[in-house]
Amino acid sequence: AGSRLQHEYVPSAHLSAACTCLAWAPAGARQPPSKDGPQRKKRKSEVGEVDKQLDILAIGTAVGSILLYSTVKGELQSKLDGGHDSRVNCVRWHQDNCCLYSCSDDKHIVEWSTQTCKVKCKWKGDNSSVTCLCISPDGKMLLSAGRTIKLWDLETKEVYRHFTGHATSVSSLMFTTVKPMNESKPFDGITGLYFLSGAIHDRLLSVWYIRSDRKEKNAVMSFTVTDEPTFVDLTVSEVKEEPVKLAVVCRDGQLHLFEHILNGYCKKPLTSNCTIQIATPGNDGDSTPKPVPILAAAFCRDKQSLLLVYGNTLQPIIEKVSLNTSESHVCLVRDIQKVLSLKTDAALTKVKTPVVNSDTKVLVPGIPGHSTAVKTPALGKEKKKNKRKPGETEESIEERLGALDIDVSKVKTPGGLPQTDSFAVLLVQGLESNDAEILNKVLNTRKENIVKNTVARMPIHAVIPLLHELTKRLQGNPYSASVMVRWLKSVFTLHASYLSTLPDLIPQLGMLYQLMESRVKTLQKLSRLHGRLFILVTQVAASQTVQDVPEVNQTAKLVYEDDSSSEEGSDDEMIADKDSDENWDEDEEKEDQSDEQDMTVEKEINGDSDLEPENESEEE
């Protein structure tokens, strides 16, 4: 009533396991046995009080455990472990049998027994994470939603109905009716009921109708709001003619109220009957009213008034507002400055203004060789206005640049190439902005010392992105790979100590390992091929040199024939022919031997000497 903080509980592991969802146990729920031994007997009056008061709160955490906390005792009752191994997205209590249902990012739904604090049943709810649950009014069915919505039979744990759901993950699910509108047919506890769903980043809240057949899976109607719904509350329609009242708080801080009788299919999305906003009065000092975000809203028991929660989450203000839905737009003016007056006067005096002396030279960040004198503001003088007097001429850009005192000769380096320190800066910029032009400029340098200095001067956080970039480029053409290997070498030699501290180093460098292995595998085969090609090329070259010798003209310039010695001459010619033939054979043998020697030397180099000599000659 006074919107004061009544009770605060911080779980011991709140940093490692943040709270993700909450649910109050129903008022009549039996408490789980506490850890501190046998309980003392309660007096009758005490039992009555406890039954009326909400006490136990189920808190889901980011690591998958659920805490049961007693607000009356102010202590943790028990911890439910072993059900989920990922973030708990939603917890729901069963109305009657003191069960607790929870769903998680690990795709499972778990039914807990709060008496034994153990898992009763666990089943897979969806192919992706399950984000929301809702138990049917009779307690026999359970709605679960990731993106699609499923209705489960709690006895058999089988899907009873499927619904299309939303494109994004569902954030709210609730039943809007307790009894079917058509009362002629016997009621089986679920058929004929309507339920509502809202999803993140979705401005439409959908209403679904549970039919007796399985054919229809789409929404029967939808409500449209201005932004993603963050908090939804509704009054359940119990009588046939009673409209459902719906209060939806959006991310933009507005509250939309809908009032509609659910009676079948409606094609167009329904707009809100009334929108409520809260703003500050625009009087004292600040003339513009500022919007105050509404954080949550809930209907009171009489269904005619609303509890609004607004302001900031650290110190919210809770207020009861009666509904007047005749106006379509209501803006409540609330001065939250008076309620949340944070004292800021004391802090302002601690801020010191620096005293600037006229003799000091102030160094300005920017281009090297760029220094500007900081002028101390003269007291008493009015601020210089930008407007020129009519007689004055505007300074030219050249004069302005001269006034800036930038020494251009110092800035430019010979050849226009940046120095290694700016290379490191360029490299980091290129990696962050993924700019191919900058990266090509830097990574295509071949000078060893520039590569080394650049890698040495680059910041540590850029090492892994650089490795990824190098890996990507190594997969490209072999020419660039030979340049990238130099960078890799210097990265590994200079930053080995940093890389060895990374826990996920192996997956980070996995691609690189594979690349290297595949390259090294082909090395031996390539070197063999290189040897064989070398022999072939040398042989081809040798045969070409033989062919290239200019042929001597064999025809005699002068022939003297003697009748008497003609026979002898023919004999002589025969002998000479034979001679030259033999010589030719010898020459060929010599060449063969030398080639064979070449071959064996090549083979030995390539580790191929295990071939037998006969095979070699055959190959030749």
Side-chain angles (χ1 to χ4, degrees):
S3 65
R4 282 196 311 276
L5 183 65
Q6 190 177 343
H7 193 97
E8 186 167 11
Y9 167 59
V10 180
S12 56
H14 70 103
L15 292 175
S16 59
C19 300
T20 53
C21 51
L22 299 169
W24 286 105
R30 293 192 299 275
Q31 292 184 3
S34 61
K35 294 172 183 173
D36 48 320
Q39 293 179 328
R40 62 183 178 80
K41 286 186 177 176
K42 292 175 182 170
R43 294 198 297 277
K44 279 185 181 176
S45 60
E46 228 176 332
V47 174
E49 284 166 17
V50 169
D51 279 356
K52 284 175 195 166
Q53 192 175 11
L54 289 172
D55 173 21
I56 296 174
L57 191 59
I59 306 168
T61 63
V63 291
S65 57
I66 297 169
L67 312 173
L68 297 184
Y69 177 74
S70 165
T71 49
V72 173
K73 292 182 180 174
E75 63 183 29
L76 191 63
Q77 286 261 3
S78 47
K79 188 176 177 183
L80 310 179
D81 263 332
H84 297 294
D85 46 20
S86 187
R87 170 195 163 101
V88 180
N89 288 322
C90 182
V91 279
R92 288 280 178 266
W93 290 86
H94 198 280
Q95 300 94 304
D96 314 317
N97 56 11
C98 225
C99 278
L100 182 69
Y101 293 91
S102 63
C103 63
S104 161
D105 279 353
D106 65 5
K107 309 173 189 176
H108 285 79
I109 302 171
V110 174
E111 180 181 8
W112 301 87
S113 161
T114 52
Q115 301 295 321
T116 59
C117 300
K118 286 193 171 68
V119 177
K120 256 188 172 181
C121 181
K122 178 177 177 177
W123 71 97
K124 188 173 177 181
D126 208 325
N127 287 332
S128 57
S129 58
V130 187
T131 52
C132 205
L133 297 174
C134 180
I135 295 167
S136 67
D138 66 345
K140 288 178 184 170
M141 297 276 183
L142 175 76
L143 279 173
S144 81
R147 288 180 181 163
T148 57
I149 302 171
K150 293 176 183 174
L151 182 65
W152 300 85
D153 187 337
L154 282 180
E155 275 181 29
T156 58
K157 310 286 188 286
E158 286 174 355
V159 179
Y160 181 72
R161 291 281 182 277
H162 270 285
F163 300 93
T164 351
H166 296 256
T168 51
S169 47
V170 175
S171 56
S172 50
L173 274 177
M174 44 188 72
F175 277 90
T176 54
T177 49
V178 184
K179 292 175 188 169
M181 297 296 154
N182 186 2
E183 289 167 4
S184 57
K185 294 175 184 173
F187 180 45
D188 63 354
I190 194 77
T191 308
L193 295 189
Y194 289 90
F195 68 90
L196 177 93
S197 70
I200 57 170
H201 312 309
D202 193 345
R203 295 196 302 113
L204 290 177
L205 291 146
S206 304
V207 177
W208 313 81
Y209 180 60
I210 300 165
R211 303 170 185 275
S212 51
D213 59 345
R214 288 169 176 258
K215 284 176 190 171
E216 190 61 52
K217 292 181 180 179
N218 294 336
V220 288
M221 62 179 80
S222 55
F223 299 108
T224 175
V225 288
T226 51
D227 202 349
E228 167 193 338
T230 54
F231 194 94
V232 183
D233 190 46
L234 51 83
T235 63
V236 176
S237 149
E238 291 169 1
V239 196
K240 187 178 178 183
E241 294 304 318
E242 186 185 5
V244 171
K245 287 183 180 178
L246 183 66
V248 184
V249 178
C250 296
R251 191 172 286 287
D252 58 8
Q254 296 187 40
L255 165 67
H256 299 275
L257 296 174
F258 298 87
E259 198 168 324
H260 192 74
I261 297 174
L262 301 176
N263 52 2
Y265 186 73
C266 178
K267 196 174 181 182
K268 281 187 180 176
L270 302 165
T271 51
S272 60
N273 299 28
C274 176
T275 304
I276 298 177
Q277 282 176 298
I278 300 179
T280 56
N283 42 28
D284 45 84
D286 196 6
S287 58
T288 52
K290 290 197 176 85
V292 178
I294 299 176
L295 305 172
F299 286 99
C300 299
R301 294 247 174 105
D302 60 355
K303 298 186 182 182
Q304 294 306 316
S305 48
L306 266 175
L307 276 180
L308 292 184
V309 182
Y310 58 90
N312 66 355
T313 46
L314 294 172
Q315 209 177 343
I317 302 162
I318 302 169
E319 186 186 334
K320 192 171 182 178
V321 181
S322 60
L323 295 178
N324 177 19
T325 47
S326 58
E327 295 176 41
S328 64
H329 200 102
V330 179
C331 184
L332 305 173
V333 178
R334 298 285 181 271
D335 191 1
I336 61 165
Q337 247 38 51
K338 286 175 185 170
V339 188
L340 303 173
S341 56
L342 301 170
K343 289 178 182 172
T344 52
D345 309 334
L348 285 173
T349 55
K350 292 179 185 175
V351 179
K352 290 181 180 176
T353 50
V355 181
V356 182
N357 193 356
S358 56
D359 304 332
T360 54
K361 185 179 180 184
V362 181
L363 297 175
V364 180
I367 318 163
H370 173 190
S371 59
T372 59
V374 174
K375 291 166 188 165
T376 52
L379 298 171
K381 280 189 183 177
E382 286 183 10
K383 289 179 185 173
K384 189 179 177 185
K385 288 183 181 169
N386 268 348
K387 291 175 184 173
R388 293 200 312 275
K389 289 173 187 172
E392 281 183 14
T393 53
E394 193 178 357
E395 287 180 337
S396 70
I397 289 180
E398 196 178 352
E399 287 167 1
R400 289 186 195 175
L401 285 173
L404 277 175
D405 183 34
I406 297 177
D407 194 347
V408 184
S409 61
K410 284 182 191 171
V411 177
K412 283 188 181 172
T413 55
L417 267 176
Q419 298 301 310
T420 45
D421 53 349
S422 59
F423 247 107
V425 173
L426 270 178
L427 180 59
V428 174
Q429 282 176 352
L431 288 170
E432 281 176 359
S433 61
N434 214 346
D435 190 331
E437 202 175 322
I438 297 178
L439 288 171
N440 288 341
K441 189 176 181 181
V442 177
L443 293 176
N444 285 342
T445 37
R446 291 179 161 279
K447 291 182 183 171
E448 267 320 311
N449 60 340
I450 288 188
V451 172
K452 264 191 183 173
N453 291 344
T454 308
V455 173
R457 288 180 185 182
M458 65 186 279
I460 286 234
H461 64 80
V463 172
I464 290 292
L466 175 62
L467 277 177
H468 287 319
E469 182 63 34
L470 291 174
T471 311
K472 199 165 80 184
R473 282 161 184 262
L474 273 170
Q475 295 166 351
N477 69 338
Y479 171 73
S480 72
S482 64
V483 184
M484 295 312 136
V485 168
R486 295 177 187 190
W487 284 90
L488 266 182
K489 184 181 170 186
S490 46
V491 167
F492 285 141
T493 47
L494 292 163
H495 294 292
S497 53
Y498 162 66
L499 287 170
S500 61
T501 59
L502 295 175
D504 57 341
L505 182 63
I506 294 169
Q508 294 270 24
L509 298 182
M511 180 72 88
L512 199 58
Y513 285 145
Q514 286 173 1
L515 268 175
M516 285 182 172
E517 277 190 17
S518 61
R519 289 272 162 104
V520 173
K521 266 182 195 168
T522 53
L523 178 66
Q524 200 178 4
K525 292 178 187 172
L526 282 172
S527 51
R528 282 182 190 175
L529 181 64
H530 177 258
R532 286 177 185 165
L533 285 173
F534 180 72
I535 291 169
L536 273 173
V537 169
T538 48
Q539 280 191 343
V540 169
S543 63
Q544 271 178 353
T545 51
V546 171
Q547 284 170 10
D548 289 350
V549 173
E551 287 185 14
V552 183
N553 194 8
Q554 297 290 337
T555 55
K557 288 183 180 175
L558 178 74
V559 179
Y560 169 71
E561 284 187 5
D562 195 357
D563 291 340
S564 60
S565 63
S566 64
E567 289 172 11
E568 287 171 18
S570 63
D571 281 356
D572 282 346
E573 273 173 15
M574 287 290 285
I575 292 161
D577 268 323
K578 270 185 188 172
D579 245 18
S580 63
D581 274 358
E582 280 170 11
N583 286 354
W584 181 241
D585 281 6
E586 275 176 19
D587 285 350
E588 223 175 23
E589 269 177 17
K590 277 181 189 172
E591 233 181 43
D592 275 10
Q593 280 176 351
S594 67
D595 272 351
E596 246 173 49
Q597 280 175 348
D598 272 359
M599 181 74 170
T600 49
V601 170
E602 280 291 342
K603 298 277 178 177
E604 276 177 15
I605 289 170
N606 298 329
D608 235 15
S609 59
D610 54 345
L611 288 176
E612 293 154 11
E614 303 97 61
N615 292 8
E616 281 183 10
S617 56
E618 276 169 23
E619 275 190 14
E620 288 232 79

Short mmCIF file of all heavy atoms in Angstrom, two decimals, residues 194 207 219-223 260-271:
data_model
loop_
_atom_site.label_atom_id
_atom_site.label_comp_id
_atom_site.label_asym_id
_atom_site.label_seq_id
_atom_site.Cartn_x
_atom_site.Cartn_y
_atom_site.Cartn_z
N TYR A 194 -10.48 -20.76 -24.61
CA TYR A 194 -9.58 -19.85 -25.34
C TYR A 194 -8.34 -19.59 -24.50
O TYR A 194 -8.42 -19.56 -23.27
CB TYR A 194 -10.27 -18.50 -25.57
CG TYR A 194 -11.40 -18.52 -26.57
CD1 TYR A 194 -12.72 -18.77 -26.17
CD2 TYR A 194 -11.16 -18.26 -27.92
CE1 TYR A 194 -13.76 -18.78 -27.09
CE2 TYR A 194 -12.20 -18.25 -28.84
CZ TYR A 194 -13.49 -18.51 -28.42
OH TYR A 194 -14.52 -18.51 -29.33
N VAL A 207 -4.97 -14.98 -29.91
CA VAL A 207 -5.92 -15.79 -29.11
C VAL A 207 -6.18 -17.07 -29.87
O VAL A 207 -6.41 -17.05 -31.09
CB VAL A 207 -7.24 -15.02 -28.88
CG1 VAL A 207 -8.23 -15.88 -28.12
CG2 VAL A 207 -6.97 -13.74 -28.12
N ALA A 219 -4.51 -18.97 -35.15
CA ALA A 219 -5.15 -18.13 -34.13
C ALA A 219 -6.52 -17.67 -34.62
O ALA A 219 -6.72 -17.44 -35.82
CB ALA A 219 -4.28 -16.93 -33.84
N VAL A 220 -7.48 -17.54 -33.68
CA VAL A 220 -8.81 -17.09 -34.09
C VAL A 220 -8.91 -15.57 -34.08
O VAL A 220 -9.68 -15.01 -34.84
CB VAL A 220 -9.91 -17.72 -33.19
CG1 VAL A 220 -10.08 -19.18 -33.51
CG2 VAL A 220 -9.62 -17.53 -31.72
N MET A 221 -8.13 -14.91 -33.24
CA MET A 221 -8.14 -13.44 -33.26
C MET A 221 -6.83 -12.92 -32.67
O MET A 221 -6.07 -13.68 -32.07
CB MET A 221 -9.34 -12.88 -32.49
CG MET A 221 -9.36 -13.23 -31.03
SD MET A 221 -10.79 -12.51 -30.22
CE MET A 221 -12.08 -13.64 -30.66
N SER A 222 -6.59 -11.64 -32.88
CA SER A 222 -5.35 -11.07 -32.33
C SER A 222 -5.58 -9.64 -31.88
O SER A 222 -6.44 -8.94 -32.41
CB SER A 222 -4.23 -11.14 -33.37
OG SER A 222 -4.64 -10.50 -34.55
N PHE A 223 -4.81 -9.23 -30.87
CA PHE A 223 -4.85 -7.86 -30.35
C PHE A 223 -3.55 -7.18 -30.77
O PHE A 223 -2.48 -7.75 -30.61
CB PHE A 223 -4.94 -7.87 -28.82
CG PHE A 223 -6.18 -8.54 -28.29
CD1 PHE A 223 -6.10 -9.78 -27.65
CD2 PHE A 223 -7.42 -7.93 -28.40
CE1 PHE A 223 -7.24 -10.39 -27.16
CE2 PHE A 223 -8.56 -8.55 -27.90
CZ PHE A 223 -8.47 -9.78 -27.29
N HIS A 260 -13.16 -7.45 -24.61
CA HIS A 260 -13.73 -8.14 -25.76
C HIS A 260 -14.42 -9.43 -25.33
O HIS A 260 -13.89 -10.16 -24.50
CB HIS A 260 -12.61 -8.45 -26.76
CG HIS A 260 -13.10 -8.90 -28.09
ND1 HIS A 260 -13.65 -8.03 -29.00
CD2 HIS A 260 -13.13 -10.13 -28.66
CE1 HIS A 260 -14.00 -8.70 -30.08
NE2 HIS A 260 -13.69 -9.98 -29.89
N ILE A 261 -15.58 -9.68 -25.93
CA ILE A 261 -16.26 -10.97 -25.68
C ILE A 261 -15.70 -11.96 -26.70
O ILE A 261 -15.76 -11.71 -27.91
CB ILE A 261 -17.79 -10.83 -25.83
CG1 ILE A 261 -18.31 -9.86 -24.77
CG2 ILE A 261 -18.46 -12.18 -25.70
CD1 ILE A 261 -19.77 -9.53 -24.90
N LEU A 262 -15.14 -13.06 -26.20
CA LEU A 262 -14.55 -14.04 -27.11
C LEU A 262 -15.67 -14.92 -27.67
O LEU A 262 -16.25 -15.72 -26.95
CB LEU A 262 -13.52 -14.89 -26.36
CG LEU A 262 -12.38 -14.11 -25.72
CD1 LEU A 262 -11.48 -15.03 -24.93
CD2 LEU A 262 -11.55 -13.39 -26.76
N ASN A 263 -15.96 -14.73 -28.96
CA ASN A 263 -17.04 -15.54 -29.54
C ASN A 263 -16.70 -15.92 -30.97
O ASN A 263 -17.38 -15.56 -31.91
CB ASN A 263 -18.37 -14.77 -29.49
CG ASN A 263 -18.22 -13.39 -30.10
OD1 ASN A 263 -17.16 -13.04 -30.57
ND2 ASN A 263 -19.30 -12.62 -30.10
N GLY A 264 -15.58 -16.61 -31.12
CA GLY A 264 -15.26 -17.13 -32.45
C GLY A 264 -14.25 -16.30 -33.20
O GLY A 264 -13.51 -15.51 -32.64
N TYR A 265 -14.30 -16.48 -34.51
CA TYR A 265 -13.22 -16.00 -35.38
C TYR A 265 -13.35 -14.51 -35.69
O TYR A 265 -14.44 -14.00 -35.89
CB TYR A 265 -13.27 -16.81 -36.69
CG TYR A 265 -12.13 -16.52 -37.61
CD1 TYR A 265 -10.85 -16.99 -37.34
CD2 TYR A 265 -12.33 -15.80 -38.79
CE1 TYR A 265 -9.79 -16.74 -38.19
CE2 TYR A 265 -11.27 -15.55 -39.65
CZ TYR A 265 -10.01 -16.02 -39.35
OH TYR A 265 -8.97 -15.77 -40.20
N CYS A 266 -12.21 -13.81 -35.69
CA CYS A 266 -12.21 -12.39 -36.04
C CYS A 266 -10.97 -12.14 -36.90
O CYS A 266 -9.85 -12.41 -36.48
CB CYS A 266 -12.17 -11.55 -34.77
SG CYS A 266 -12.10 -9.80 -35.12
N LYS A 267 -11.18 -11.63 -38.11
CA LYS A 267 -10.07 -11.55 -39.08
C LYS A 267 -9.10 -10.41 -38.76
O LYS A 267 -7.89 -10.58 -38.75
CB LYS A 267 -10.66 -11.37 -40.48
CG LYS A 267 -9.66 -11.66 -41.59
CD LYS A 267 -10.34 -11.62 -42.94
CE LYS A 267 -9.35 -11.95 -44.05
NZ LYS A 267 -10.00 -11.87 -45.37
N LYS A 268 -9.63 -9.22 -38.49
CA LYS A 268 -8.75 -8.06 -38.28
C LYS A 268 -8.19 -8.06 -36.86
O LYS A 268 -8.89 -8.43 -35.93
CB LYS A 268 -9.55 -6.78 -38.50
CG LYS A 268 -9.74 -6.43 -39.96
CD LYS A 268 -10.39 -5.07 -40.11
CE LYS A 268 -10.58 -4.71 -41.57
NZ LYS A 268 -11.29 -3.43 -41.71
N PRO A 269 -6.96 -7.59 -36.70
CA PRO A 269 -6.43 -7.43 -35.33
C PRO A 269 -7.20 -6.34 -34.59
O PRO A 269 -7.49 -5.29 -35.17
CB PRO A 269 -4.97 -7.01 -35.55
CG PRO A 269 -4.67 -7.28 -36.97
CD PRO A 269 -5.96 -7.25 -37.71
N LEU A 270 -7.53 -6.61 -33.33
CA LEU A 270 -8.32 -5.65 -32.55
C LEU A 270 -7.40 -4.62 -31.91
O LEU A 270 -6.35 -4.97 -31.37
CB LEU A 270 -9.09 -6.39 -31.46
CG LEU A 270 -10.03 -7.49 -31.98
CD1 LEU A 270 -10.46 -8.39 -30.84
CD2 LEU A 270 -11.25 -6.89 -32.64
N THR A 271 -7.81 -3.36 -31.95
CA THR A 271 -7.01 -2.31 -31.31
C THR A 271 -7.53 -2.07 -29.90
O THR A 271 -8.62 -2.50 -29.54
CB THR A 271 -7.08 -0.99 -32.11
OG1 THR A 271 -8.46 -0.70 -32.33
CG2 THR A 271 -6.37 -1.13 -33.44
#
